[in-house]
Amino acid sequence: MNVVSAITGLPYVGKTTLFNLLTGAHAATGSFSGAEAETNVGVAKVPDERVDRLAALFKPKKTTHAEVMYRDLGLTHAEKPGQAISAGKLGDLRTADALVHVVRAFRDPSVPHVDGSVDPLRDLSTVQLELLFADHGVVERRLERLEPELRSAKGAERETKEREKAVLLRAKTALDAERPLRDVEFDPDELKLMRGFRFLTLMPLLVAVNLDETDVTKPDPVLEPLRASAAAHRSTAVIPFSAKLEAEIAELPPDEAAAFRGDLGLAEPALDRLVRATYELLGLCSFFTVGEDEVRAWTVPCGMAAQQAAGAIHSDLERGFIRSEVIRWDELLKAGSEANAKRQGLMRTEGKTYPVADGDVVHVLFNV
Ligand SMILES: Nc1nc2c(ncn2[C@@H]2O[C@H](COP(=O)(O)OP(=O)(O)O)[C@@H](O)[C@H]2O)c(=O)[nH]1
Ligand SMILES: [Mg+2]
């Protein structure tokens, strides 16, 4: 599957700077660029050392990492909730799989703040309120239309609509109380009924806290309340980073960049953590296909049955699925080749219902 993440937040918090870092784009940044009017779109390679190491073993013609598509769609400054997202951007937000909310914590006085002061917790709730408001509107409009539909519906259709109404009323109660829908326990049937509405507060949320570069390497008092707030919500993660520092490091040659990171005590690029957290919150796993032509990562929901997962590669593989040969990526590396792995009995034969695990190297045998 192709994962789409929407980067959102107030103006001048570093959204486009982050977007450029993730995608290698050169979209205009800065207070007076006017770039906020449209959505920037770009693709980021999902950093994955396992792919790199498999590629080093197989030396394929082509190496393909998984990808995440990013959309940079900022909110405008609004006096009242419900006015900060344009209709076009609302559509781009709704069709994303996950939200990255960039929150400003850097103090640099040369960058103005639309609400006059730097206050990450306040900004977190300003944006959340906007998203709650958008979802509330969807619920109200649907409930209104449901009434006449319910009066004329019969039998099974009526039952489905009754269930839809019940779940929307539960959603409304939460939204009225300013609770994001991701915090509400919905069962799988209810989630299915709600899927089409693409509720913004139901999407996993990554709070990307843009810190001053001097703050990323020490525990920042700013982060604690944000972490506490995230811990109190479901499907929410906090990712601290410094857009300015990351942009500086991105200018360096790779070996110098790694050394600089090491000196600062930053274990890995913040952007890697962001992408990984997105996979975690969405419950996504990667499996790999290998060969002389291509080493490639594929993205599926964790634990997906092997036959369905094969469909991520090609629909023929799902349709004509017979069985697959599976080995964990690190076992394959240790064995040194597939032939060795087979000789050592490390290749498993798995059937249609085998739940694909993160890091599996898979060969699908099929017949159409
Ligand atoms: N000091 C500092 N300035 C930053 C940082 N991130 C972004 N900026 C600056 O803030 C301004 C707005 O950044 P931009 O990425 O365009 O924000 P957006 O409006 O959220 O897309 C630009 O002038 C950036 O150079 C940061 O981490 N530290
Ligand atoms: Mg921008």
Side-chain angles (χ1 to χ4, degrees):
M1 69 181 273
N2 291 316
V3 180
V4 181
S5 268
I7 301 173
T8 193
L10 295 176
Y12 323 139
V13 296
K15 297 181 301 294
T16 304
T17 307
L18 173 65
F19 169 82
N20 286 342
L21 282 165
L22 285 163
T23 63
H26 298 280
T29 59
S31 318
F32 307 107
S33 66
E36 303 300 313
E38 41 185 289
T39 300
N40 297 311
V41 181
V43 168
K45 194 172 86 170
V46 175
D48 192 335
E49 188 211 9
R50 300 168 300 180
V51 177
D52 304 328
R53 293 183 52 191
L54 287 168
L57 178 64
F58 283 86
K59 301 186 176 57
K61 295 194 190 88
K62 197 174 161 202
T63 302
T64 311
H65 286 75
E67 288 179 345
V68 174
M69 180 191 269
Y70 282 96
R71 296 183 185 147
D72 165 24
L73 23 77
L75 309 185
T76 53
H77 179 60
E79 295 304 325
K80 283 190 288 185
Q83 300 174 335
I85 319 177
S86 69
K89 286 194 179 176
L90 199 54
D92 287 340
L93 271 175
R94 288 208 185 287
T95 49
D97 301 301
L99 295 179
V100 178
H101 176 188
V102 182
V103 176
R104 171 171 173 179
F106 66 88
R107 288 174 286 257
D108 187 347
S110 73
V111 180
H113 190 294
V114 286
D115 287 315
S117 62
V118 176
D119 183 347
L121 270 179
R122 177 202 59 206
D123 293 356
L124 194 63
S125 64
T126 303
V127 170
Q128 168 148 303
L129 205 58
E130 195 63 36
L131 304 176
L132 287 165
F133 201 89
D135 283 352
H136 199 273
V138 171
V139 169
E140 291 221 299
R141 283 193 294 278
R142 181 62 193 142
L143 280 171
E144 244 168 60
R145 280 191 205 135
L146 257 176
E147 280 313 317
E149 286 180 25
L150 266 170
R151 279 195 290 275
S152 58
K154 287 187 182 61
E157 193 195 340
R158 189 186 169 98
E159 258 172 54
T160 310
K161 287 194 193 295
E162 290 286 8
R163 280 193 294 136
E164 186 184 343
K165 181 176 173 182
V167 71
L168 288 175
L169 286 173
R170 282 192 68 199
K172 187 173 179 309
T173 306
L175 295 167
D176 281 338
E178 295 185 6
R179 265 180 90 204
L181 296 178
R182 67 180 76 84
D183 281 351
V184 183
E185 187 110 31
F186 292 109
D187 67 35
D189 283 340
E190 291 177 315
L191 286 172
K192 212 165 140 192
L193 283 167
M194 292 201 294
R195 203 181 289 156
F197 298 113
R198 317 261 354 167
F199 288 121
L200 302 174
T201 65
L202 197 53
M203 292 176 190
L205 175 69
L206 291 116
V207 180
V209 186
N210 192 1
L211 297 160
D212 271 317
E213 58 266 46
T214 48
D215 285 345
V216 279
T217 49
K218 59 171 196 246
D220 191 303
V222 139
L223 277 179
E224 283 323 306
L226 288 167
R227 285 227 164 90
S229 154
H233 293 291
R234 296 162 53 145
S235 258
T236 306
V238 171
I239 314 284
F241 77 115
S242 163
K244 197 167 172 192
L245 181 67
E246 293 291 337
E248 280 163 19
I249 297 177
E251 298 289 312
L252 300 173
D255 51 333
E256 279 181 43
F260 189 38
R261 266 185 217 293
D263 289 346
L264 289 172
L266 297 171
E268 64 175 333
L271 311 180
D272 292 14
R273 271 184 290 136
L274 186 72
V275 176
R276 225 189 25 241
T278 307
Y279 267 58
E280 275 165 23
L281 287 185
L282 288 169
L284 297 175
C285 283
S286 298
F287 71 91
F288 311 111
T289 51
V290 295
E292 285 169 13
D293 287 331
E294 190 178 27
V295 164
R296 180 161 182 170
W298 304 90
T299 303
V300 291
C302 295
M304 182 178 245
Q307 179 171 17
Q308 260 180 299
I313 305 172
H314 196 286
S315 57
D316 281 353
L317 269 62
E318 181 171 355
R319 205 153 43 89
F321 186 97
I322 301 168
R323 62 178 185 276
S324 55
E325 291 183 331
V326 183
I327 181 170
R328 254 201 6 238
W329 74 279
D330 49 342
E331 290 186 324
L332 177 55
L333 277 179
K334 222 186 303 161
S337 73
E338 286 180 292
N340 278 349
K342 269 191 193 144
R343 250 196 311 274
Q344 295 167 21
L346 295 171
M347 286 279 207
R348 287 171 281 134
T349 298
E350 301 284 3
K352 293 178 177 176
T353 57
Y354 165 71
V356 173
D358 194 45
D360 278 350
V361 176
V362 174
H363 268 298
V364 179
L365 288 101
F366 70 108
N367 183 15
V368 283

